[in-house]
Amino acid sequence: SFLPERSNLAGVRHILLVLSGKGGVGKSTISTELALSLRHSGKKVGILDVDLCGPSIPRMFRVQDNDVHQCDSGWVPVFVDQDKSISLMSIGFLLEKPDDAVVWRGPKKNALIKQFVADVAWGDLDFLIVDTPPGTSDEHISTVEALRPYKPLGAILVTTPQAVSVGDVRRELTFCKKTGLRVLGIVENMSGFVCPHCSECTNIFSKGGGEELAKHAGVPFLGCVPLDPQLSQSLEEGRDFIQEFPKSSAFPALAHIAQQILDGTTQRSS
């Protein structure tokens, strides 16, 4: 594979893909929370949102009205905070109106994904988190192919506890095998509901599907992330989610997941 002299990803140390076999398991939420957890550990993080039909990342960070500017080396990502520790790129920034639908055939989507991978001037980042659409569609294949020369660290698979979701994520494991993408581990999202009044955690769905699957597939289980209604509300209402996140009951779980990823990167580089 031929790498351009000075690619826009040259300053990116680690690339992580967030995948799932199905929609609605909270990939964008996990991508967002993971970015915040890594930032909490003092890392600089970018999020590349390649979910072309449902770009929700800009809204989660309250930057959906920002425009993307061009510079000599491509698009300048949108920064979400003063100290520029989190930057984003999403098709959401390129749509005329937020409600515009992206009605494109495969080739055009694939071309945009390649452009997103090549033409965003990320600068220096510790981590680039790639938030993908649901499924194992050609958008995934384009993303993996476009990123392959940059040797991504691997993929994090998100499931919810129910067996149906776990079955769909099992297909995603096969996809990773076929495309030679390393699975860093499985995260079980919406694992129980934390009551805002008494802080007790109730399992609304079943429990342990993610852990079972990880054991069965021989990949690490990174942990369970509970549903925190206060956190969801802060995301929905566009409150300062960045400030509120560390107070959330989901934070310890995500900090633990982020720590495992950080530990994995130090082991690999040593």
Side-chain angles (χ1 to χ4, degrees):
S1 54
F2 170 72
L3 281 184
E5 276 307 289
R6 167 79 194 167
S7 84
N8 276 327
L9 288 171
V12 177
R13 293 178 56 195
H14 304 292
I15 301 172
L16 296 175
L17 285 92
V18 177
L19 301 175
S20 166
K22 66 192 279 86
V25 296
K27 275 183 303 300
S28 298
T29 308
I30 292 287
S31 298
T32 298
E33 293 173 346
L34 198 52
L36 288 171
S37 304
L38 288 165
R39 170 187 183 252
H40 223 78
S41 305
K43 303 296 174 194
K44 275 191 85 159
V45 189
I47 304 182
L48 175 58
D49 180 6
V50 290
D51 189 350
L52 303 184
C53 299
S56 41
I57 295 277
R59 188 163 162 223
M60 289 185 168
F61 283 105
R62 281 166 61 193
V63 288
Q64 66 270 40
D65 301 330
N66 289 39
D67 291 322
V68 167
H69 302 289
Q70 293 274 341
C71 68
D72 293 345
S73 48
W75 284 320
V76 182
V78 170
F79 292 101
V80 301
D81 53 351
Q82 286 324 138
D83 48 5
K84 298 194 168 182
S85 58
I86 296 185
S87 49
L88 312 178
M89 185 49 157
S90 167
I91 193 169
F93 297 130
L94 305 177
L95 301 174
E96 287 295 307
K97 295 188 284 300
D99 297 338
D100 286 357
V102 180
V103 187
W104 291 350
R105 287 180 188 273
K108 194 172 176 191
K109 284 184 181 173
N110 297 347
L112 181 72
I113 287 170
K114 283 198 182 74
Q115 201 179 347
F116 267 171
V117 168
D119 293 348
V120 181
W122 293 107
D124 291 330
L125 291 180
D126 294 301
F127 287 92
L128 177 61
I129 296 172
V130 183
D131 184 28
T132 64
T136 47
S137 58
D138 56 349
E139 279 121 287
H140 285 86
I141 299 167
S142 307
T143 306
V144 174
E145 288 301 309
L147 288 169
R148 179 164 283 137
Y150 306 98
K151 302 199 175 23
L153 187 62
I156 290 167
L157 269 49
V158 182
T159 184
T160 49
Q162 311 94 305
V164 175
S165 169
V166 168
D168 290 338
V169 177
R170 192 171 282 140
R171 282 189 277 282
E172 197 73 45
L173 278 163
T174 313
F175 169 80
C176 291
K177 256 200 199 94
K178 283 195 168 141
T179 52
L181 190 59
R182 182 167 165 256
V183 176
L184 297 175
I186 292 176
V187 171
E188 184 178 289
N189 193 26
M190 307 186 201
S191 189
F193 159 83
V194 180
C195 171
H197 306 293
C198 70
S199 302
E200 189 177 318
C201 192
T202 309
N203 295 319
I204 298 185
F205 307 124
S206 47
K207 188 163 173 48
E211 202 161 357
E212 260 316 272
L213 175 62
K215 210 184 284 163
H216 179 80
V219 298
F221 181 64
L222 297 174
C224 297
V225 179
L227 261 177
D228 178 354
Q230 285 166 314
L231 195 61
S232 318
Q233 212 174 349
S234 124
L235 270 174
E236 288 289 304
E237 293 169 8
R239 295 205 305 270
D240 197 344
F241 172 64
I242 299 180
Q243 292 302 305
E244 292 188 14
F245 175 59
K247 302 192 210 89
S248 153
S249 54
F251 180 69
L254 282 142
H256 177 62
I257 292 166
Q259 194 49 57
Q260 290 175 82
I261 290 164
L262 291 169
D263 293 346
T265 60
T266 44
Q267 279 163 13
R268 290 198 74 191
S269 50
S270 58

